[in-house]
Amino acid sequence: VQMIMVSGFLGSGKTTLIVQLAKVCVVGGLRVAILVNEVGEIGIDDGFMRRLGLNVRELLGGCICCTLATDLVETLRQLEKGYHPDIILLEPSGVADPTSVHRSLDLLKAKPMIRLRHIMLIDPLRLRMLMEVLTPLTIATMESANIVCINKTDAADEEELDYARETVRKVNPRTKVLEISAKNGIDVNVLGAFLA
Ligand SMILES: Nc1nc2c(ncn2[C@@H]2O[C@H](COP(=O)(O)OP(=O)(O)OP(=O)(O)O)[C@@H](O)[C@H]2O)c(=O)[nH]1
Ligand SMILES: [Mg+2]
């Protein structure tokens, strides 16, 4: 099964992008499952998601890159057996380390079940701050991402966008970079780029 992991710091727009991706998938006739890892109490607005006919599972009360890794794999197995999704959209908590998610999937021998693409979302309005206070995590995530997505292009100014572009180019010159405004919707080409 195809899995898209959308990582990014708190509030970078992960849920917004996942909902948009799910809509594009549903329109394209794909069966979608959404897996959300919330550390806090407030879960995803899954009433809205379920009305769209999406299969939403929450992994609560811990982080999938550490304590909930086995739950993640068990949930993947259940989904494979029961729902047969074409695509699984995974939102790790904003404080998760996506490279540990990779490692856990490997250790728990879940890698053969899935084709994983890792998309890192960047909020250009806050990247400078992140690079100052969470440097190693931000850099490691950028290095491991298949695609880096600069989000909130509707709200960022040129200086913020340039800083984001330049930072990604320095940290991971080989990665593909997309610029989006998840809030304003995405088209099918974005999904295509994620899967390419
Ligand atoms: N201006 C603008 N705001 C956005 C965009 N995408 C998301 N947001 C806003 O950013 C805030 C956070 O969005 P979420 O999708 O909840 O972000 P998240 O990464 O899932 O947040 P956590 O799960 O709390 O880490 C919300 O107020 C969104 O409306 C965008 O493209 N432009
Ligand atoms: Mg979220």
Side-chain angles (χ1 to χ4, degrees), residues 7-16 121-124 126 151-152 182:
S7 75
F9 188 62
L10 299 165
S12 53
K14 299 179 292 295
T15 304
T16 308
L121 260 192
I122 285 180
D123 176 351
R126 291 193 299 166
N151 189 27
K152 308 196 185 182

Side-chain angles (χ1 to χ4, degrees), residues 6-19 36-38 42 91-95 121 123 125-126 150-156 180-185:
V6 178
S7 75
F9 188 62
L10 299 165
S12 53
K14 299 179 292 295
T15 304
T16 308
L17 177 60
I18 281 178
V19 170
V36 195
N37 176 210
E38 306 272 12
I42 311 151
E91 176 180 346
S93 79
V95 291
L121 260 192
D123 176 351
L125 287 81
R126 291 193 299 166
I150 301 175
N151 189 27
K152 308 196 185 182
T153 52
D154 60 290
I180 61 166
S181 167
K183 200 176 76 170
N184 291 325

Side-chain angles (χ1 to χ4, degrees), residues 25 36 43 98 120 136 149:
C25 288
V36 195
M120 178 193 194
C149 239

Side-chain angles (χ1 to χ4, degrees), residues 98-153:
T99 56
S100 313
V101 177
H102 273 282
R103 223 167 14 246
S104 302
L105 290 172
D106 228 4
L107 280 173
L108 295 163
K109 308 217 185 310
K111 275 277 170 70
M113 301 167 36
I114 50 180
R115 183 166 178 270
L116 175 64
R117 300 282 291 165
H118 172 200
I119 314 301
M120 178 193 194
L121 260 192
I122 285 180
D123 176 351
L125 287 81
R126 291 193 299 166
L127 183 62
R128 210 181 278 279
M129 177 275 291
L130 261 194
M131 287 297 283
E132 274 162 24
V133 299
L134 274 177
T135 324
L137 176 64
T138 309
I139 287 180
T141 306
M142 227 176 259
E143 282 172 339
S144 80
N146 296 112
I147 295 181
V148 176
C149 239
I150 301 175
N151 189 27
K152 308 196 185 182
T153 52

Side-chain angles (χ1 to χ4, degrees), residues 57-125:
R57 309 281 171 97
E58 289 181 288
L59 293 160
L60 298 172
C63 174
I64 53 166
C65 75
C66 29
T67 51
L68 291 185
T70 49
D71 293 23
L72 169 63
V73 171
E74 182 49 37
T75 306
L76 288 174
R77 295 218 167 92
Q78 283 173 12
L79 277 172
E80 274 287 74
K81 263 196 239 146
Y83 182 70
H84 306 296
D86 298 304
I87 192 156
I88 298 173
L89 305 173
L90 170 67
E91 176 180 346
S93 79
V95 291
D97 174 1
T99 56
S100 313
V101 177
H102 273 282
R103 223 167 14 246
S104 302
L105 290 172
D106 228 4
L107 280 173
L108 295 163
K109 308 217 185 310
K111 275 277 170 70
M113 301 167 36
I114 50 180
R115 183 166 178 270
L116 175 64
R117 300 282 291 165
H118 172 200
I119 314 301
M120 178 193 194
L121 260 192
I122 285 180
D123 176 351
L125 287 81

